[in-house]
Amino acid sequence: MKTIFEKSSGVDGINLTDKTTDVNFIPQNLLREGSIGLPQLSELETMRHYKELSDLNFCIEKGFYPLGSCTMKYNPKVNEFLSSLEGFNIHPNSDDNLAQGSLKLMYNLQKALLEVTGMDAITLQPSAGAHGEMTGMMIIKKYFDSIGENRTKVIIPDSAHGTNPASAKMAGFDVVEIKSNSKGQVDIEALKAVLDKDVAAIMMTNPNTLGIFEEGVKEISDLMHANGSLLYYDGANFNAIMGWTNPKLMGFDVVHLNLHKTFSTPHGGGGPGAGPVAVVERLKDYLPTPVVEFDGEKYYRNYNLQHTIGSVKDFYGNFSVLVRAYTYILMMGKNLKNASENAVLNANYLKEKLKKYYDLPYDEPCMHEFVLTGERQKHENGVSTLNIAKALMDGNTHPPTVYFPLIVHEAIMIEPTESESKEKLDEFVETMIQIAEESKTNPEKILSAPHTTPVKKIDEVTAARKPDLKYIN
Ligand SMILES: *Cc1c(COP(=O)(O)O)cnc(C)c1O
């Protein structure tokens, strides 16, 4: 009998709807009966369709994107070119001997990331920040199991990103939440009150999600270690500290980085990311395998770690994201430190310019981001933070992160990043001031925003309950 491929001819191949073909090895009831109704479009029409769709989209190529907690920095286009070089397009099951270039890149990236974090060993495998968190918590769990200590609790500040408690819980811990103090930092007395021998670890973000540096971090790490507990560093805000300090100096034992935030991979919409996890010496043997090593002659994947938690992803993570991070680090060199400096300067500039017009719940020097509240606008003018966010879209700006962190009502979380010019920042300030003023003088305009976007104000409730997912031109 001929195979389906031998029977194919011309560009159309075999027509499975034609039941006269002798593909009778396919049961009759599985053969398609009619056309599947694919749109009949030419390549040109298809291309125009997608270009039109992409023009409707807002992206960093079009305007300012101050999405707090997400670090939407500029991603050099050369990264894209390098990550698609043909030589990197190898099968993940290739023998180490045939993959020396790719392994070398991963090895060198590991070294660079160890240098910026101050840590002793690292895995590149996890594919997102949250995935890194879970990997880190699994390492901590296994560490205590293997030294025969049954520690069941993980302490997490109330300002933390929601993925922190989720990851701790998924790794089998109970979560203990502690309050922030009036400076927006971990309340050390509250920490002492819950610290006992059941505590495995604390998960902290520093600077925290309010964009504030935890001044007590050293005292906290000493307290935790004296209690036999470990410290986990959520590195999502690493863009604020590169080269100025590191998690090791602050006393942390496990850290994840979000390569798609700090080390320049385009993200948003759930695109591929990478969340490498670095650890101190005593946790080295617990990392997922393989780790990339070098024996003096050859780069190789080591699957042989004594206490490994196993593998957390196929092969070794999102390789093309690793290439982008490596490219970025090599291009930046010592300028990584300037990037952090400028990110912090830009955020403080915006904070000082805007604090007259919006309330600033924690009036402290900030790091790379800061959090305003729209409470005044809400109570005095009936304009909510969501309305303000929508009105910003009319100013060719992506809205900032809103309603996060949860401890700030009507939160507006702004992260300008290092990439923007002073002119762009001033433009944003003008737009924000205009919105604050119009909230008083013409609230209707803000309440009905956006007015200039392809999709105008939507009915949130109906959109959530009865989503219409068709694209209609
Ligand atoms: C983004 C973020 C995370 C989660 O990272 P993903 O890569 O989105 O999974 C965790 N913590 C903080 C503070 C973040 O900003």
Side-chain angles (χ1 to χ4, degrees):
M1 187 175 61
K2 282 187 170 178
T3 71
I4 213 165
F5 297 108
E6 283 167 322
K7 233 187 123 43
S8 314
S9 63
V11 286
D12 293 323
I14 195 161
N15 180 3
L16 285 179
T17 61
D18 174 3
K19 293 191 187 157
T20 62
T21 60
D22 67 349
V23 283
N24 44 19
F25 54 93
I26 298 178
Q28 197 67 17
N29 65 341
L30 294 183
L31 288 176
R32 201 161 54 226
E33 297 199 318
S35 151
I36 59 167
L38 288 176
Q40 300 295 307
L41 293 170
S42 70
E43 185 189 337
L44 185 61
E45 285 168 308
T46 310
M47 183 187 73
R48 286 183 184 148
H49 169 72
Y50 283 110
K51 175 73 171 99
E52 264 170 37
L53 279 185
S54 94
D55 285 347
L56 297 178
N57 199 24
F58 188 90
C59 53
I60 203 155
E61 281 86 352
K62 271 195 181 173
F64 191 43
Y65 212 129
L67 197 61
S69 207
C70 293
T71 311
M72 303 301 287
K73 67 207 276 173
Y74 171 65
N75 302 301
K77 294 288 177 258
V78 64
N79 289 359
E80 304 307 310
F81 167 71
L82 292 171
S83 68
S84 58
L85 285 179
E86 206 184 329
F88 287 135
N89 188 15
I90 53 172
H91 194 282
N93 268 334
S94 298
D95 187 83
D96 286 349
N97 288 319
L98 299 174
Q100 285 296 293
S102 300
L103 290 171
K104 181 176 180 183
L105 183 142
M106 287 191 274
Y107 182 81
N108 287 348
L109 177 63
Q110 289 180 170
K111 273 208 324 205
L113 298 178
L114 288 175
E115 196 175 329
V116 291
T117 54
M119 293 283 161
D120 301 310
I122 190 166
T123 170
L124 300 175
Q125 215 174 46
S127 55
H131 196 193
E133 289 169 28
M134 202 179 82
T135 304
M137 296 323 281
M138 286 165 67
I139 289 172
I140 291 173
K141 179 101 182 133
K142 185 139 191 201
Y143 169 75
F144 283 116
D145 285 351
S146 74
I147 60 167
E149 287 187 24
N150 180 29
R151 292 182 180 247
T152 53
K153 297 193 273 194
V154 167
I155 299 175
I156 303 179
D158 60 1
S159 61
H161 196 264
T163 50
N164 289 189
S167 303
K169 192 79 197 165
M170 283 187 73
F173 290 109
D174 294 326
V175 173
V176 181
E177 188 181 271
I178 50 164
K179 294 249 167 290
S180 303
N181 63 20
S182 59
K183 293 174 90 180
Q185 302 179 27
V186 169
D187 183 332
I188 296 183
E189 292 311 310
L191 171 62
K192 285 182 187 160
V194 295
L195 199 53
D196 59 29
K197 291 290 173 202
D198 291 338
V199 173
I202 187 170
M203 291 182 92
M204 282 176 71
T205 312
N206 195 21
N208 63 31
T209 61
L210 294 162
I212 296 170
F213 194 88
E214 296 277 355
E215 293 163 15
V217 66
K218 201 69 188 83
E219 190 184 344
I220 293 170
S221 59
D222 291 344
L223 275 171
M224 296 302 293
H225 286 146
N227 190 54
S229 314
L230 297 174
L231 292 96
Y232 184 93
Y233 182 92
D234 175 336
N237 292 342
F238 209 79
N239 209 44
I241 64 158
M242 284 183 295
W244 296 90
T245 180
N246 67 47
K248 181 74 165 297
L249 290 171
M250 299 177 208
F252 287 89
D253 303 288
V254 187
V255 44
H256 85 253
L257 297 171
N258 303 57
L259 297 189
H260 47 288
K261 292 182 181 172
T262 315
F263 297 99
S264 118
T265 277
H267 62 292
V277 171
V279 296
V280 293
E281 187 70 30
R282 69 172 150 157
L283 298 176
K284 199 172 152 180
D285 281 342
Y286 295 81
L287 287 173
T289 55
V291 286
V292 181
E293 292 180 7
F294 181 57
D295 66 9
E297 274 176 28
K298 195 180 128 186
Y299 299 90
Y300 65 102
R301 283 169 279 188
N302 181 1
Y303 288 88
N304 212 356
L305 295 182
Q306 198 190 350
H307 297 292
T308 179
I309 59 165
S311 176
V312 296
K313 189 176 190 322
D314 299 349
F315 307 109
Y316 35 66
N318 277 328
F319 183 71
S320 78
V321 177
L322 306 180
V323 177
R324 291 180 179 94
Y326 187 57
T327 308
Y328 177 72
I329 289 171
L330 286 190
M331 272 194 314
M332 292 292 276
K334 287 186 178 152
N335 284 329
L336 279 178
K337 214 174 154 176
N338 296 353
S340 286
E341 189 176 24
N342 284 329
V344 171
L345 178 65
N346 287 354
N348 278 284
Y349 180 73
L350 290 184
K351 171 173 71 71
E352 289 305 309
K353 288 274 183 187
L354 291 174
K355 72 181 192 188
K356 277 204 291 293
Y357 303 91
Y358 297 86
D359 292 332
L360 180 64
Y362 301 97
D363 193 358
E364 299 279 324
C366 68
M367 296 293 288
H368 65 308
E369 65 190 0
F370 63 102
V371 181
L372 297 171
T373 164
E375 286 226 85
R376 193 193 319 173
Q377 283 71 18
K378 175 146 192 199
H379 292 132
E380 292 178 5
N381 318 115
V383 166
S384 71
T385 282
L386 186 66
N387 301 135
I388 294 169
K390 301 275 183 199
L392 270 168
M393 294 162 83
D394 287 331
N396 192 34
T397 295
H398 192 283
T401 299
V402 291
Y403 301 103
F404 177 77
L406 301 177
I407 55 172
V408 174
H409 295 295
E410 298 294 312
I412 306 174
M413 184 190 210
I414 298 168
E415 179 179 0
T417 80
E418 71 278 14
S419 331
E420 300 291 345
S421 66
K422 180 168 174 297
E423 288 71 23
K424 198 74 205 166
L425 300 182
D426 286 335
E427 237 175 69
F428 175 69
V429 168
E430 281 313 308
T431 311
M432 285 291 284
I433 293 175
Q434 199 185 334
I435 291 171
E437 277 165 4
E438 282 180 340
S439 296
K440 288 187 255 177
T441 56
N442 187 9
E444 199 36 53
K445 181 170 169 205
I446 308 298
L447 289 170
S448 55
H451 304 278
T452 58
T453 48
V455 177
K456 306 287 179 296
K457 190 179 173 68
I458 53 167
D459 173 349
E460 305 266 333
V461 178
T462 310
R465 296 228 174 113
K466 293 187 194 158
D468 177 0
L469 302 173
K470 286 194 304 293
Y471 170 69
I472 299 162
N473 204 345

